[in-house]
Amino acid sequence: MKWLYLFKANFRREYIYLKRYLPNTISELITFYAIFLFLFFGIQIVGDPSTVEVNVQNTIVNYLFWFLAMMVMQGIGWSIMNEAQLGTLEQMYMSPMGAWKILLARIISSTILQLVMIVILLYLSMITTNTWLNVDVLSILPILIFTCLWHSRYVGDGN
């Protein structure tokens, strides 16, 4: 039950940050969509016409995984740095839940919210390229869970 409260609190915290800084969230989406457009039009101009469809599909998938990895890794680093600047990092390590559990809840919360942004970018990318991908969530989920667990344990232990 403590895990659920911890997750709900961190999820609410991450959602409030996205909502409170809505112009930043929107500009982040616009910026990453512009990066995708540069990649897409680069493939259209420089790429081989016979392999454009496959290259576009690979670009969409790689671009979205790059976005997710960057946001999750950057998010937890920013969170630790912010806690240190505010002077609350020591409190996190002295909490009954432990730092790695708090960081795990933050990683999972931010990943879920980033997945919402990824779905938006995915549909924008597919509409722009007129290329529709078949996304199998059950194949992606175990890798995502393992990555979140590994990263939180690595960061939480201070290694």
Side-chain angles (χ1 to χ4, degrees):
M1 197 57 133
K2 289 181 183 180
W3 276 93
L4 183 62
Y5 290 135
L6 181 65
F7 172 74
K8 283 172 56 176
N10 279 292
F11 187 83
R12 188 170 51 247
R13 175 183 183 267
E14 294 296 324
Y15 176 74
I16 289 170
Y17 277 151
L18 286 177
K19 193 170 136 182
R20 181 176 295 160
Y21 301 109
L22 189 60
N24 185 37
T25 305
I26 293 170
S27 68
E28 181 179 318
L29 280 171
I30 292 170
T31 301
F32 281 101
Y33 181 65
I35 290 171
F36 172 76
L37 288 177
F38 288 130
L39 291 171
F40 172 66
F41 289 126
I43 289 172
Q44 295 292 325
I45 293 170
V46 178
D48 182 17
S50 63
T51 61
V52 168
E53 183 71 24
V54 174
N55 289 340
V56 168
Q57 290 176 357
N58 290 337
T59 301
I60 291 172
V61 172
N62 290 329
Y63 160 75
L64 293 174
F65 276 113
W66 168 72
F67 176 79
L68 178 64
M70 190 175 73
M71 288 297 115
V72 171
M73 298 299 175
Q74 175 185 338
I76 198 65
W78 180 85
S79 178
I80 291 172
M81 183 183 71
N82 192 34
E83 296 284 340
Q85 286 178 343
L86 294 174
T88 56
L89 185 62
E90 294 84 7
Q91 293 174 1
M92 185 189 328
Y93 274 91
M94 294 186 324
S95 75
M97 291 298 287
W100 80 269
K101 291 177 185 175
I102 295 171
L103 291 173
L104 176 62
R106 286 189 187 170
I107 288 172
I108 293 170
S109 301
S110 67
T111 301
I112 290 170
L113 290 171
Q114 294 299 329
L115 284 173
V116 171
M117 292 174 60
I118 283 179
V119 168
I120 293 169
L121 286 172
L122 175 65
Y123 279 105
L124 281 173
S125 301
M126 289 190 303
I127 289 169
T128 302
T129 62
N130 200 20
T131 302
W132 299 95
L133 302 176
N134 182 14
V135 180
D136 185 13
V137 177
L138 292 177
S139 298
I140 298 170
L141 199 59
I143 296 169
L144 186 64
I145 291 170
F146 176 74
T147 304
C148 288
L149 287 172
W150 177 80
H151 184 66
S152 70
R153 190 67 175 162
Y154 180 75
V155 171
D157 285 343
N159 291 332

